[in-house]
Amino acid sequence: MAFGSEAGQGRLVRFALASAWRRSRYAFHSGVLYRWRHLGPVPDRLLIAPTDLRTADPTIAHDIYAGRYVFSGEAVDVAGFSVFEIEAPSRSWAAALHGFGWLRHLRASELTVSRSNARALIDEWIRFQKSHDPVARDPVVTARRIASWLAQTPLVLEGCDHGFYRRFMRALTRQVRQLRRVVHDVPPGRPRLAVTMTLAAAALSLADQNRFVRQASRLVDQELARQVLPDGGHVGRNPAAVLDILVDLLPLRQAFTARGLQPSPALLGAIDRMMPMLRFFRLGDGSFAKFNGMGETQLGLLATVLAHDDARGSPLRNAPHSGYQRLEAGETIIVMDTGAAPVPALSAEAHAGCLSFEMSIGRQPLVVNCGIPGPNALALRRLARTTAAHSTVTLNDTSSCRFLTGGLLAGRLGEIIIAGPGMVESSRQEERGQTFVTAAHDGYVGRFGIRHERRLFLPREGTRLDGVDSFTSPNGGPVARGGKDGFAIRFHLHPAVKASRIKAGQAVLLVLPDGSGWEFEAAGHDVLIEESIRLSDIRGSRRAEQIVVYGRAMHADAVHWHFEKVAEGGPRRRSEAGETEMLGFDEGDA
C-alpha cells in the first residue's frame, strides 16, 4: 500500500466509520433500555473454579494488607481509605485494580487474614460500584474481574457467611450478563476474544447455564477462527498475544473436561497450533523476540504454559502466515520480521519494524530491537514503534509505517497504523544445515520509489551471519536519480554487549558478557557506533548502543555486511576499577 496515499486515507475512513458504528451499538446494548433482554434468576451455586495459571507472589499480599497497591510501576498508599474510593494515578493502574488479578497473591500467601481481606475488598467494590472509575466498566476489565473472581472462589467463598455469598453471586451474575449484552460490540482482536473466553468460563462455572455454555462456546470458536492463524500466530502479530491467549484458553479446556464436556475441535486445534509458536519466538535466554508490542517476557508464566505442551517438539522454523522467520545453527538463534502491517483495527500495538531481526548467541542477546516502555510513557512508546527503533533499514529518517497520532481522531480510534508495508515477499531455502532467507517490502515505495530487500545467510556452524540490504525501484531496476535516497542500516545492541570500532572505522568489535568476541563489518562502508536505548515495561530504560551504516541508495544499491565470531569466551577477572576483563583476548587480534 502506498504510504499516505488515497488508499491509506480510505482505510482510515472505513475504520473510523466501523468504529463509530460499533461504539453506538455498545452504548445502546450497555444502556438501561436493553437490560431487560438478560434478566433472570441468580444461579444458586458455583460448580467449578477455573484454574488461574498466572504466577503469584505471596509478598504482594503483605503490601495489600498494609494498604499499599503497586500496579503498572505506580504505588498508592490508601492510608485508611478504601482503595476503591481514591483517584487512580493512571488508567493502567485503575485497570489492574478493578481487574482483581491481585487476588491470586492473597491466595498464595499464608496470612490468616487473606480470606477475610479478600472478602472485605470484594464487598467494598460491590458497595462503591456506582462511583467507580469508568475503567471498571470497560468490557476487558470486567472480563478480567469475572475471571479472577471465579478462579479465586476457593479463597473468597470458603467459610463465608450466607449474606456475603448472595452478594457475591448477585454481583458476579450481573457482570456476566453485562458482558453478554455487549460481547459483539467489544473492539475486535484480543479484547473480544478475552471477553468470549470469560463468558465461556462463567457459563461452565455457574449452575444451570447449559444454554449459555453452547452459546459462549460458539463465540469462542468464531473468534479463534478469526484470530489464530494456521501457523499458530496471532493476526495482530504481537508474540505476547500467543502466550496471553493460551493462559486463558488452557484453563478453559480444563473447565470443559471438569464439567464432563468435550472441548470443541476449534479450541483444541487452536491450542495445538499455538503451543509450537511459544518456542518459535524464544531466543537463547528464554525470552521472546521483541516485535510489534512485545514487552518483557514473563518467564515463569511461559514455563507454566509450556508444561502443558504434550508434544514438546522443536520450534517451527517458518511462520509464513504470521510473517516471521526463525534461523538457528549452533548457538545462534535469529528471529526475523517478514510480515505486512496488520489491518488498522488490529494495529494499535504494531510497530514499523519490517525486516528487522533479533539475534542471540547461546543465552546472550546480541542484536535486538528497542522494546517497549511502560504503558504510561506515551512519548517513548511512540518512539519504540518507529522503524529507527528496530534493527532494520530506515530511509530518509522516516518509518516504513504511518501512524495516526495526536488529535481527537487518534484519541477515539487509537494510534493505529493507517499505511505501511502491504506487500512483503519472503522466501526460505535450507540445504545441508545452511539457511537462506530473503524478504522485501514496499513500505517506502509510495513516497520514495524504493523497495528494500534483505537477505540473510546462516551456515550450519552458526559462527557467522551474512546479510545484504539492497535497494531497487518497484520493478527491480536501479533507484531513480534525483530522489530522496538516504538510508541508515541499524543494528541495536543489547546493553550487556560492549562495542568498539576497529580497522580504522571499517568494523566493530563486539564483546559479549561471557567474554566471547564477534566482529561486524560492512564491506566498503564506514561503520559507526551511536547511542541507543533499551526500553522495558518492567525494568525501565537502559542505555545501549547501536551499529549504524549510512549511505545513499543511488550510489550503493547493495550493502554487504556480516557478524562473525572471532574469539571464544574465556575466564574473566575483576580489574581494580571493578570492570570485568577477559583473559587471553586482545582487540588487536581481530
Side-chain angles (χ1 to χ4, degrees), residues 72-74 92 238 240 290-297 348-351 369-386 389-390 415 533-542:
S72 300
E74 298 175 292
S92 59
N238 185 342
K290 291 177 172 55
F291 298 104
N292 291 303
M294 178 69 213
E296 295 292 335
T297 306
E349 295 179 337
H351 289 198
N369 295 320
C370 286
I372 61 168
N376 302 318
L378 180 58
L380 282 177
R381 188 165 283 265
R382 288 173 175 168
L383 173 67
R385 299 179 71 190
T386 63
H390 296 77
E415 298 194 346
I533 188 171
R534 179 66 165 178
L535 301 170
S536 171
D537 53 345
I538 295 178
R539 298 185 177 91
S541 302
R542 288 179 288 170

Side-chain angles (χ1 to χ4, degrees), residues 238-528:
N238 185 342
V242 179
L243 180 59
D244 289 347
I245 293 170
L246 282 170
V247 166
D248 291 323
L249 203 56
L250 289 170
L252 186 58
R253 181 181 66 178
Q254 294 176 344
F256 275 103
T257 303
R259 287 291 309 276
L261 302 173
Q262 177 64 32
S264 69
L267 187 152
L268 297 176
I271 292 175
D272 290 342
R273 296 197 306 276
M274 284 191 288
M275 277 295 190
M277 287 300 287
L278 295 178
R279 290 186 168 85
F280 176 92
F281 286 118
R282 293 180 80 186
L283 295 171
D285 62 350
S287 64
F288 281 2
K290 291 177 172 55
F291 298 104
N292 291 303
M294 178 69 213
E296 295 292 335
T297 306
Q298 300 180 58
L299 295 177
L301 182 60
L302 176 58
T304 300
V305 173
L306 284 173
H308 290 75
D309 185 6
D310 298 328
R312 300 179 184 271
S314 300
L316 301 171
R317 300 296 180 90
N318 184 7
H321 300 91
S322 300
Y324 292 101
Q325 294 283 341
R326 180 184 176 94
L327 296 79
E328 188 171 356
E331 291 189 311
T332 300
I333 298 174
I334 297 166
V335 181
M336 182 180 180
D337 182 346
T338 58
V343 297
L346 302 173
S347 67
E349 295 179 337
H351 289 198
C354 193
L355 305 195
S356 65
F357 70 91
E358 292 206 350
M359 175 181 180
S360 66
I361 312 300
R363 297 186 59 83
Q364 304 165 106
L366 176 56
V367 178
V368 297
N369 295 320
C370 286
I372 61 168
N376 302 318
L378 180 58
L380 282 177
R381 188 165 283 265
R382 288 173 175 168
L383 173 67
R385 299 179 71 190
T386 63
T387 302
H390 296 77
S391 294
T392 186
V393 170
T394 59
L395 282 178
N396 302 307
D397 295 322
T398 62
S399 287
S400 58
C401 292
R402 180 184 175 192
F403 301 97
L404 180 65
T405 57
L408 179 62
L409 195 57
R412 298 288 290 178
L413 303 180
E415 298 194 346
I416 59 172
I417 292 177
I418 56 176
M423 177 68 70
V424 182
E425 303 170 358
S426 65
S427 63
R428 180 188 184 98
Q429 292 180 299
E430 295 185 58
E431 182 179 348
R432 298 178 182 178
Q434 304 176 116
T435 306
F436 302 81
V437 171
T438 302
H441 76 82
D442 63 353
Y444 290 114
V445 168
R447 285 173 297 169
F448 308 122
I450 297 176
R451 176 178 176 269
H452 171 218
E453 179 182 277
R454 169 165 280 182
R455 285 173 282 166
L456 299 183
F457 168 58
L458 183 67
R460 71 177 69 184
E461 298 82 9
T463 56
R464 179 180 171 112
L465 171 67
D466 284 279
V468 182
D469 285 300
S470 57
F471 310 96
T472 65
S473 64
N475 60 10
V479 173
R481 292 182 174 273
K484 295 182 178 180
D485 62 345
F487 65 76
I489 309 175
R490 303 179 186 276
F491 304 92
H492 294 273
L493 304 174
H494 189 271
V497 176
K498 306 302 180 185
S500 56
R501 297 178 75 194
I502 57 175
K503 296 183 179 179
Q506 297 293 302
V508 172
L509 176 66
L510 305 168
V511 180
L512 277 62
D514 70 347
S516 60
W518 284 68
E519 182 180 297
F520 173 86
E521 188 171 2
H525 294 269
D526 286 337
V527 181
L528 304 180

